[in-house]
Amino acid sequence: MPEFPLAVPTCFEQVADDLAAKGWSVQHDVFSEELVAALGQACRQMWHNDALTPAGIGQGSDLAVVPEIRGDYTRWLDECSPRACQSEYLQILEQLRETLNRSLFLGLDSFETHFALYPPGAGYSKHLDRFQNNPLRMVSVVAYLNQNWQPGDGGELRLHLKEGLVDVVPTGGTLVVFLSDRILHEVLEAHKERASLVGWFRRRPLNPLLR
Ligand code: OGA
Ligand code: MN
């Protein structure tokens, strides 16, 4: 028996429909409690072992750490020790990639994701996820790893939409998916440790040197 038997969430067709209709989707209870607990424990353990590094903004030689703008600490999944929960997460996200390609013909060909930990006081100012000089990020995916997030704990993901603001509580099991070049968003100040996995589906570069 695998530690985490693969359960493909039934909501992925709904995610594809939402992306086509409005560019974003929020789904609850997407992952099992066991999987959320194992991923959250991995993230918090790395945080307490100083294995996460301050996240920067920008890319390449423009990369800068500016805690007033972005205060989280991250580690790419492919730079973490292998864990069954991480493989399980990647297998589930592979199903999402296939669903989005089948339904929306987005030509998504890879997925990159990192753990993120916002300590108390940290947030991330309003931004878009697609770098000006890196057009490959198509779809952003955030999975929350916090059990028992209470009103007043802060750390909401705020989407800035034409129709107004939408605040998403970072409760474990919630998945947010949105078009990386389209949806402005920010992370409101967290009042306790806030763990997540943030990732991007990318399309294949037209010019392979871009990758
Ligand atoms: C990001 C981001 C949102 C969140 O890391 O780019 O916008 O809710 N994260 O963690
Ligand atoms: Mn973002």
Side-chain angles (χ1 to χ4, degrees):
M1 263 289 272
E3 194 172 338
F4 298 101
L6 185 64
V8 178
T10 51
C11 65
F12 286 171
E13 295 291 343
Q14 185 62 48
V15 172
D17 290 351
D18 286 349
L19 285 188
K22 53 183 189 175
W24 60 280
S25 184
V26 177
Q27 302 294 327
H28 303 287
D29 300 319
V30 175
F31 307 102
S32 72
E33 277 183 35
E34 293 73 23
L35 181 57
V36 171
L39 290 167
Q41 194 191 11
C43 184
R44 290 185 168 81
Q45 187 183 51
M46 287 187 285
W47 164 245
H48 289 289
N49 291 339
D50 274 340
L52 304 181
T53 48
I57 49 176
Q59 209 191 18
S61 57
D62 288 336
L63 188 74
V65 174
V66 187
E68 307 80 61
I69 296 180
R70 177 174 189 187
D72 59 329
Y73 290 71
T74 64
R75 189 180 190 97
W76 292 103
L77 217 67
D78 60 8
E79 294 170 0
C80 297
S81 325
R83 294 177 177 89
C85 58
Q86 293 166 188
S87 325
E88 165 71 4
Y89 181 73
L90 292 176
Q91 281 181 56
I92 296 175
L93 269 281
E94 173 61 15
Q95 305 291 321
L96 177 58
R97 188 184 71 84
E98 287 170 15
T99 304
L100 297 183
N101 279 344
R102 205 179 324 110
S103 310
L104 305 175
F105 305 103
L106 286 176
L108 308 173
D109 91 315
S110 66
F111 182 61
E112 55 181 1
T113 189
H114 61 62
F115 282 107
L117 192 295
Y118 288 72
Y124 191 164
S125 307
K126 193 161 96 175
H127 65 280
L128 283 176
D129 280 350
R130 188 186 281 187
F131 297 122
Q132 277 120 0
N133 58 351
N134 181 344
L136 302 179
R137 287 181 172 180
M138 301 286 286
V139 175
S140 304
V141 183
V142 191
Y144 297 108
L145 307 176
N146 308 296
Q147 281 151 327
N148 300 317
W149 201 259
Q150 301 293 329
D153 288 341
E156 293 88 352
L157 168 65
R158 172 166 288 177
L159 306 178
H160 293 258
L161 307 168
K162 281 196 303 292
E163 52 278 28
L165 302 177
V166 170
D167 286 350
V168 182
V169 176
T171 303
T174 296
L175 180 75
V176 183
V177 185
F178 56 87
L179 299 178
S180 303
D181 63 336
R182 204 78 76 73
I183 304 291
L184 267 170
H185 58 282
E186 67 181 309
V187 178
L188 303 185
E189 184 180 326
H191 304 310
K192 65 180 197 191
E193 286 175 10
R194 175 198 194 266
S196 62
L197 275 163
V198 183
W200 296 273
F201 290 117
R202 296 152 49 110
R203 64 170 173 75
R204 191 174 298 115
L206 298 176
N207 173 355
L209 295 177
L210 255 184
R211 187 169 280 272

